[in-house]
Amino acid sequence: MYFEGTDVYVAEKDLRVAVNAAIRLERPLLVKGEPGTGKTELAKQVAAALGLDLIEWHVKSTTRAQQGLYEYDAVSRLRDSQLGDKRFEDIRNYIKRGKLWEAFTGGRKTVLLIDEIDKADIEFPNDLLQELDRMEFFVYETGETIRAETRPIVIITSNNEKELPDAFLRRCFFHFIRFPDIETLHAIVDVHYPGIKRNLVRAALTQFYEIREVAGLKKKPSTSEALDWIRLLVSDDVDPETLRGDAKNALPKLHGALLKNEQDVHLFERLAFLARQRGG
């Protein structure tokens, strides 16, 4: 199995190397990077490129590691026993399989995405150490051990909101997705919007990178936001000439696609006001 990217996902050489190294080592691939740099999409594209099923586990602040293995519904079993329901005699009726269980016993190789692992409690990664390392876990209620029939390709994403334990990091192959340079982002735009006016894309991306470099910006716009913005510029048939100039001297056109909080909007309004004063 070898990942080379897809027609709809521009994967730089270092990223392709990381994916293929993790596959060969049979280690989870831990992917970090700014939000919007394609970490989650990577798992989908790896699955598509290799012809594998994708199992997605989206982690939340309340997610527990046990949920990825299985959950036992003791309350429902007790209720059914009181009601005389024969289902209660088989404890397996009350065990809900988690995403790891699905990936381990699906009958064929899969891609398992554990998305935004840093959202959960700090103990969450530690609680999955042995399961991801040995590719097995024990079900106490039934006394059985669930082992991976075929080892899945595990891709774990993190937005770097909190540090991950060293013991967990040792078991992963790591890759940081750097924010794409202007040429790479141009290629990404071409993939999503083939045939788009090149002079508009060049002007838009020039301003986009100027915006990202503005000092004091609370949230830098991401790749996905750049794509949304360019799509709007094309829909409104914006003249590329109106985008040229210093991004610091005016609020960007259709700025709601790029600036996602009032502090950043006010920052650009102040910069535009100061620029007009200097010009006057």
Side-chain angles (χ1 to χ4, degrees), residues 14-272:
D14 288 348
L15 178 57
R16 298 197 302 272
V17 168
V19 171
N20 291 312
I23 292 174
R24 288 196 301 273
L25 291 172
E26 295 189 326
R27 294 277 190 178
L29 174 63
L30 174 61
V31 184
K32 291 187 179 182
E34 288 184 30
T37 49
K39 300 185 297 298
T40 302
E41 187 64 24
L42 172 65
K44 299 176 182 179
Q45 296 304 321
V46 169
L50 301 181
L52 304 177
D53 292 334
L54 174 67
I55 296 175
E56 302 179 58
W57 185 15
H58 298 285
V59 177
K60 302 178 181 179
S61 60
T62 56
T63 302
R64 295 176 293 106
Q66 181 64 34
Q67 293 172 310
L69 308 179
Y70 69 93
E71 292 182 277
Y72 170 51
D73 191 351
V75 174
S76 292
R77 190 181 185 210
L78 175 61
R79 182 195 62 224
D80 288 349
S81 68
Q82 293 171 337
L83 295 174
D85 192 324
K86 293 295 185 181
R87 292 179 71 253
F88 92 95
E89 295 176 0
D90 187 351
I91 198 170
R92 290 177 176 81
N93 291 326
Y94 304 92
I95 292 177
K96 179 182 178 182
R97 298 183 178 189
K99 298 298 183 180
L100 267 70
W101 191 325
E102 290 181 28
F104 287 3
T105 60
R108 63 190 298 256
K109 198 173 189 67
T110 61
V111 175
L112 171 64
L113 168 65
I114 304 177
D115 197 29
E116 298 189 329
I117 194 171
D118 53 326
K119 278 188 175 180
D121 183 86
I122 189 61
E123 292 302 321
F124 181 92
N126 279 332
D127 291 342
L128 290 176
L129 284 180
Q130 298 301 322
E131 289 77 10
L132 290 176
D133 197 29
R134 298 178 181 176
M135 286 289 154
E136 66 178 40
F137 62 88
F138 186 72
V139 182
Y140 293 95
E141 288 77 8
T142 63
E144 60 185 325
T145 298
I146 304 300
R147 292 186 179 89
E149 300 167 1
T150 304
R151 196 177 186 99
I153 297 171
V154 181
I155 297 178
I156 304 170
T157 72
S158 169
N159 288 327
N160 227 8
E161 292 182 4
K162 63 169 68 82
E163 290 295 323
L164 298 174
D166 289 345
F168 180 80
L169 295 175
R170 283 198 301 271
R171 289 165 167 81
C172 298
F173 192 94
F174 173 75
H175 182 74
F176 183 85
I177 298 182
R178 294 179 177 85
F179 196 84
D181 59 27
I182 191 168
E183 295 304 326
T184 302
L185 189 49
H186 204 311
I188 293 172
V189 173
D190 287 342
V191 165
H192 285 80
Y193 309 121
I196 192 174
K197 298 177 183 176
R198 299 191 68 82
N199 57 344
L200 174 58
V201 175
R202 178 61 60 178
L205 292 183
T206 298
Q207 187 179 39
F208 174 77
Y209 279 92
E210 289 176 352
I211 291 170
R212 281 182 55 87
E213 293 172 1
V214 170
L217 200 63
K218 184 175 181 181
K219 181 193 175 302
K220 294 182 179 181
S222 68
T223 304
S224 59
E225 288 161 341
L227 293 173
D228 288 344
W229 184 53
I230 291 173
R231 180 182 177 185
L232 288 173
L233 295 177
V234 171
S235 297
D236 285 11
D237 197 22
V238 172
D239 184 351
E241 290 298 323
T242 65
L243 294 175
R244 302 188 192 281
D246 189 350
K248 299 177 184 178
N249 292 340
L251 196 63
K253 289 183 180 296
L254 302 166
H255 63 270
L258 298 176
L259 306 178
K260 298 301 177 73
N261 59 70
E262 62 276 15
Q263 295 96 320
D264 288 343
V265 173
H266 292 159
L267 172 63
F268 274 85
E269 289 174 340
R270 288 196 300 273
L271 291 173

